[in-house]
Amino acid sequence: MEHSKIERDYLERLKSDLVFEKQHWVLLVAAVLVGCIGLNLNAMPMILGAKLLSPLMPSIIGIGVGLSYVDFSLIRRSCWLVFIQVVVAVLLAVFYFCLSPLKLAGSELESQVAPTIGNILVAFIGGIVGAIGVRRTEVHHLAVGVALATSLVPPLCAAGYGIATGQLAYVKGSLYLFGINVFFILLGHYLVSQVFKQTRKRCTLTYAVYVIVMGLSLLLAIPAKLATDKRMVEENIRLFVEHQLPEQSVLSQRFDDEKKELRLIVIGPKLTVGDVQEIVHRQKEYGLEELKVVVQQLSTFEGEETDID
């Protein structure tokens, strides 16, 4: 009976956190404004502040735990709260960026629209750590760590920027980042609750929830995996150009992922046929054997243009 009482107390504590009173609205507005200003000014400390101020976590935890206990009342309540918070946050971000005179996206804004497998791993680990933390009495340092590691408010601010400036790529990428952060945080809570809970319902519904959750995790990971692969190729290209054309100054570098083609405009000592053959031969060392490299050379000595395929 003691374990059942602990579980009941745990669920009641979670449900009591699923309120959104005046102070929570103030926190949400403050988090969004600080996040928007941070992204607008490319200021990391402000972005970290927005993460710490975010009041989104209790409702996300509620979804994960609700799925584990197949508690549809907890799931519905949590989902509705998340929906309201997301809509308000995005609308507020749109309003801010419509008024802001700074429209150019900095590196921090760019980082919100290209999630990779690393983002998934951080969200999942954060979810597990957070799930363990909420079962302990002293959880403040864990909560701070999870808030800083994961990103909830900044992607919503980036989505508002995309809507305000008419750049749908920002909307799509940032909402995907927010989605995988939410899902893999709640996945961590779901799995930890499955391990620690004492009352286990062995029924078809429980297994159906498990299959759906695992299936969604795989589907959501696919775009991040593709983005990670593309980033690895770009890094290999950077190393390839840096190591194989050390005496050339690269004026332009364009990589077409669909055509598997790299176009370079370089200036420096004239490349001989032997140099070109050696460069092509070494593509395999960088995992770029399928890549077509097109180099347009501007010779500093002879003032002529040379195309090297």
Side-chain angles (χ1 to χ4, degrees):
M1 290 295 293
E2 181 65 24
H3 290 305
S4 298
K5 182 178 183 304
I6 292 174
E7 284 188 355
R8 286 199 300 270
D9 292 342
Y10 171 60
L11 290 174
E12 287 301 320
R13 189 168 73 250
L14 287 180
K15 290 178 180 179
S16 67
D17 288 337
L18 293 177
V19 293
F20 213 67
E21 299 172 341
K22 291 181 180 179
Q23 62 267 30
H24 300 101
W25 284 109
V26 172
L27 282 176
L28 179 62
V29 171
V32 173
L33 289 178
V34 171
C36 287
I37 295 170
L39 291 175
N40 215 187
L41 300 179
N42 215 37
M44 177 57 74
M46 294 183 185
I47 296 171
L48 294 178
K51 291 181 179 183
L52 290 173
L53 291 171
S54 171
L56 294 169
M57 196 62 75
S59 49
I60 295 171
I61 294 172
I63 299 173
V65 175
L67 288 171
S68 178
Y69 286 89
V70 197
D71 187 336
F72 289 108
S73 174
L74 180 58
I75 294 171
R76 283 195 299 269
R77 188 174 172 184
S78 301
C79 286
W80 175 247
L81 190 54
V82 169
F83 175 76
I84 294 297
Q85 291 171 326
V86 169
V87 170
V88 171
V90 172
L91 289 177
L92 185 58
V94 171
F95 179 73
Y96 170 86
F97 282 110
C98 283
L99 296 179
S100 173
L102 303 176
K103 303 297 183 183
L104 186 63
S107 59
E108 293 300 333
L109 253 173
E110 294 285 350
S111 68
Q112 302 298 321
V113 299
T116 64
I117 291 296
N119 296 100
I120 289 178
L121 291 175
V122 169
F124 181 59
I125 294 170
I128 291 175
V129 172
I132 295 172
V134 295
R135 292 174 176 271
R136 298 173 53 183
T137 305
E138 298 179 358
V139 300
H140 298 292
H141 66 290
L142 292 178
V144 170
V146 173
L148 290 175
T150 55
S151 187
L152 295 173
V153 168
L156 296 179
C157 298
Y161 169 82
I163 295 172
T165 58
Q167 300 183 67
L168 295 182
Y170 281 88
V171 180
K172 180 181 176 182
S174 58
L175 289 182
Y176 173 60
L177 174 59
F178 176 78
I180 61 176
N181 281 334
V182 168
F183 183 83
F184 284 95
I185 288 171
L186 71 85
L187 177 62
H189 283 271
Y190 168 80
L191 293 177
V192 170
S193 294
Q194 286 287 88
V195 171
F196 282 97
K197 71 179 182 179
Q198 301 297 321
T199 306
R200 300 183 180 275
K201 298 179 181 180
R202 301 292 184 180
C203 63
T204 305
L205 188 58
T206 303
Y207 291 115
V209 170
Y210 177 80
V211 170
I212 291 172
V213 169
M214 293 300 109
L216 282 175
S217 66
L218 292 175
L219 287 175
L220 285 172
I222 291 174
K225 175 62 168 61
L226 295 176
T228 302
D229 291 342
K230 182 179 179 180
R231 187 167 295 186
M232 289 178 63
V233 171
E234 291 173 348
E235 177 62 17
N236 289 338
I237 288 174
R238 185 188 68 80
L239 293 173
F240 170 73
V241 173
E242 183 180 305
H243 294 164
Q244 299 307 315
L245 296 169
E247 298 181 0
Q248 303 290 329
S249 296
V250 180
L251 303 179
S252 174
Q253 177 176 315
R254 293 184 181 179
F255 169 57
D256 191 325
D257 189 37
E258 294 183 0
K259 296 180 180 180
K260 299 298 180 185
E261 182 179 86
L262 173 65
R263 287 188 169 273
L264 300 170
I265 299 178
V266 300
I267 186 170
K270 185 177 178 66
L271 294 171
T272 66
V273 175
D275 292 333
V276 175
Q277 291 177 345
E278 180 67 19
I279 291 172
V280 172
H281 178 71
R282 290 187 176 275
Q283 283 183 231
K284 296 180 181 179
E285 299 177 10
Y286 299 85
L288 303 173
E289 57 272 12
E290 297 181 0
L291 188 68
K292 179 183 179 182
V293 181
V294 180
V295 180
Q296 181 181 8
Q297 184 185 22
L298 306 178
S299 175
T300 57
F301 296 106
E302 300 181 15
E304 62 181 13
E305 241 179 55
T306 308
D307 286 341
I308 303 172
D309 277 323

